Amino acid sequence: MGDSKAFLTISRKEAGYRPVHERIGDFGEVEQTLNSHDRKEQAARCMDCGVPFCHWACPLGNKQPEWQDALYKGKWRDAYRILSETCDFPEFTGRICPALCEKSCVLKLSCDEPVTIRENEAAIVEAAFREGYISIINPKRNGKKVAVVGAGPAGLTVANRLNRKGYTVTIYDKAEAPGGLLRYGIPNFKLNKNIVSRRVRLLEAEGIQFKMNESIDLKKLPKGYDAYCLCMGAETPRDLPIPGRELKGIHFALEILSQQNRRSYRQQSYDPFHRELPRASALS
Ligand code: SF4
């Protein structure tokens, strides 16, 4: 633990959003970043609780107190090493996770000023990319082949882990580009698609093969593999059986989001039905 009293003297400081006049001109990410000094100060606020509720609350089991301590001490490489032990893609979770860790942070429960865990996570991984701490790993192959169906977050994660254990992995997906919901569901202003592509390039360089525009029939799985991992996600939306549901112009969120994301990303399959929507309201 770096500074045992920092939580008493340093307040929570969020990076905040880009000014409105700037961000209405593009579809880019709206969240800003703190400078390194402020980021380290924010990490210093972690109290290294004896019972780290943040660690329990994190679906990945991230070891937040350990990497906050390394970050506070300016050991960015160590912080990334600890973070990447439990999190395959911190550049995604650091941007889009609802941060259950922060909801259970003792500084949230006691004074409503949790440690900026999610932002710190994003800062660590971006520093790792920037400083070259993330290198291409070439694992020794074990001769086994695995097909992963679905190139969303689950498919990418399982492919990454199997690849690092030496399996030869091929990912199949019906979409034009890998990422699933990361690419077609989450808008650019939360997660820029260049961030997704950057990770996909790394996975390719490490030996994972991507076969896109491939719709797989589960009764006829591609031949030549020792194992299959099905990671197609749940694409059936939950309907609302209420009066008026049958009216024209009511769409599920993903129908619109995927088209808008294709539009921002300039992919050919973009179907501009958004032009039908001069005015829209969202129910969520
Ligand atoms: S923000 Fe990171 S550490 Fe917190 S719950 Fe999400 S993945 Fe876990």
Coordinates of all heavy atoms in Angstrom, one line a residue, residues 54 57-62 64 67 83 87 93-94 97-102 117-118 121, ligand 1:
C54 N -14.0 -4.8 -3.6 CA -13.9 -4.5 -5.0 C -13.5 -5.8 -5.8 O -14.0 -6.1 -6.8 CB -12.8 -3.4 -5.2 SG -11.2 -3.8 -4.5
A57 N -16.5 -8.1 -5.9 CA -17.5 -7.7 -6.8 C -17.2 -7.8 -8.3 O -18.1 -7.9 -9.1 CB -17.9 -6.2 -6.5
C58 N -15.9 -7.8 -8.6 CA -15.5 -7.8 -10.0 C -15.8 -9.2 -10.6 O -15.3 -10.2 -10.1 CB -14.0 -7.5 -10.1 SG -13.4 -7.6 -11.8
P59 N -16.5 -9.2 -11.7 CA -16.8 -10.5 -12.3 C -15.6 -11.3 -12.8 O -15.6 -12.5 -12.9 CB -17.7 -10.2 -13.5 CG -18.2 -8.8 -13.3 CD -17.2 -8.1 -12.4
L60 N -14.5 -10.5 -13.0 CA -13.2 -11.1 -13.5 C -12.3 -11.5 -12.3 O -11.3 -12.1 -12.5 CB -12.5 -10.2 -14.4 CG -13.3 -9.8 -15.7 CD1 -12.5 -8.7 -16.4 CD2 -13.5 -11.0 -16.5
G61 N -12.6 -11.1 -11.1 CA -11.7 -11.3 -10.0 C -10.5 -10.5 -10.1 O -9.4 -10.9 -9.7
N62 N -10.6 -9.3 -10.7 CA -9.4 -8.4 -10.8 C -8.8 -8.1 -9.4 O -9.6 -8.0 -8.4 CB -9.7 -7.1 -11.5 CG -9.8 -7.3 -13.0 OD1 -9.3 -8.3 -13.5 ND2 -10.3 -6.3 -13.7
Q64 N -7.6 -5.5 -7.7 CA -7.5 -4.0 -7.8 C -6.5 -3.4 -6.8 O -5.7 -2.6 -7.2 CB -8.9 -3.4 -7.6 CG -9.9 -3.7 -8.6 CD -10.7 -5.0 -8.3 OE1 -10.3 -5.7 -7.5 NE2 -11.8 -5.1 -8.9
W67 N -2.9 -3.7 -8.2 CA -2.5 -2.8 -9.3 C -2.6 -1.3 -9.0 O -2.0 -0.5 -9.5 CB -3.0 -3.2 -10.7 CG -4.5 -3.6 -10.9 CD1 -4.9 -4.8 -11.0 CD2 -5.6 -2.7 -11.2 NE1 -6.3 -4.8 -11.3 CE2 -6.7 -3.6 -11.4 CE3 -5.8 -1.3 -11.2 CZ2 -8.0 -3.1 -11.7 CZ3 -7.0 -0.8 -11.5 CH2 -8.1 -1.7 -11.7
L83 N -2.8 -6.6 -13.7 CA -4.1 -6.5 -14.3 C -4.4 -7.6 -15.4 O -5.4 -8.2 -15.4 CB -4.2 -5.1 -14.9 CG -5.5 -4.7 -15.7 CD1 -6.7 -4.9 -14.9 CD2 -5.4 -3.3 -16.2
C87 N -7.5 -10.2 -16.4 CA -8.4 -9.5 -17.4 C -7.7 -9.6 -18.8 O -6.6 -9.0 -19.0 CB -8.6 -8.1 -17.0 SG -9.7 -7.2 -18.0
T93 N -13.0 -3.4 -20.8 CA -13.6 -3.3 -19.5 C -13.3 -1.9 -18.9 O -14.2 -1.3 -18.2 CB -13.2 -4.4 -18.5 OG1 -11.7 -4.5 -18.6 CG2 -13.8 -5.7 -18.8
G94 N -12.1 -1.4 -19.1 CA -11.8 -0.1 -18.6 C -12.6 1.0 -19.2 O -12.7 2.2 -18.6
C97 N -17.2 -1.2 -18.6 CA -17.7 -2.0 -17.5 C -18.5 -1.1 -16.6 O -18.1 0.1 -16.3 CB -16.5 -2.6 -16.7 SG -17.1 -3.5 -15.3
P98 N -19.6 -1.6 -16.0 CA -20.4 -0.7 -15.1 C -19.7 -0.6 -13.7 O -20.2 0.1 -12.8 CB -21.7 -1.5 -14.9 CG -21.5 -2.9 -15.4 CD -20.3 -2.8 -16.4
A99 N -18.5 -1.2 -13.6 CA -17.6 -1.0 -12.5 C -18.3 -1.3 -11.1 O -18.5 -0.5 -10.2 CB -17.1 0.5 -12.4
L100 N -18.7 -2.6 -11.1 CA -19.3 -3.1 -9.8 C -18.3 -3.0 -8.7 O -18.6 -2.9 -7.5 CB -19.6 -4.6 -10.0 CG -20.6 -4.9 -11.2 CD1 -20.8 -6.3 -11.3 CD2 -21.9 -4.1 -11.0
C101 N -17.0 -3.0 -9.0 CA -15.9 -2.8 -8.0 C -16.1 -1.5 -7.3 O -16.0 -1.4 -6.1 CB -14.6 -2.9 -8.7 SG -14.4 -1.7 -10.1
E102 N -16.4 -0.4 -8.1 CA -16.5 0.9 -7.5 C -17.8 1.0 -6.6 O -17.8 1.7 -5.6 CB -16.6 2.0 -8.5 CG -15.2 2.1 -9.3 CD -15.2 3.3 -10.2 OE1 -16.0 4.2 -10.1 OE2 -14.4 3.3 -11.2
I117 N -11.6 3.2 -10.0 CA -11.0 1.9 -10.4 C -11.0 1.7 -11.9 O -10.1 1.3 -12.6 CB -11.6 0.7 -9.7 CG1 -11.5 0.9 -8.2 CG2 -11.0 -0.6 -10.1 CD1 -12.3 -0.1 -7.3
R118 N -12.2 1.9 -12.5 CA -12.4 1.7 -13.9 C -11.5 2.6 -14.8 O -10.8 2.1 -15.7 CB -13.9 1.9 -14.4 CG -14.1 1.6 -15.8 CD -15.5 2.0 -16.3 NE -15.8 3.4 -16.0 CZ -15.4 4.4 -16.8 NH1 -14.6 4.2 -17.8 NH2 -15.7 5.6 -16.5
E121 N -8.0 1.5 -14.5 CA -7.7 0.3 -15.4 C -7.5 0.7 -16.8 O -6.5 0.2 -17.4 CB -9.0 -0.6 -15.2 CG -8.9 -1.9 -16.0 CD -10.2 -2.8 -15.7 OE1 -10.8 -2.6 -14.7 OE2 -10.5 -3.6 -16.6
Ligands
SF4_1 S1 -14.2 -1.9 -13.8 FE1 -12.6 -3.5 -14.0 S2 -12.1 -4.0 -11.9 FE2 -14.1 -3.0 -11.9 S3 -15.7 -4.6 -12.0 FE3 -15.2 -3.9 -14.1 S4 -13.7 -5.3 -14.9 FE4 -13.7 -5.5 -12.6

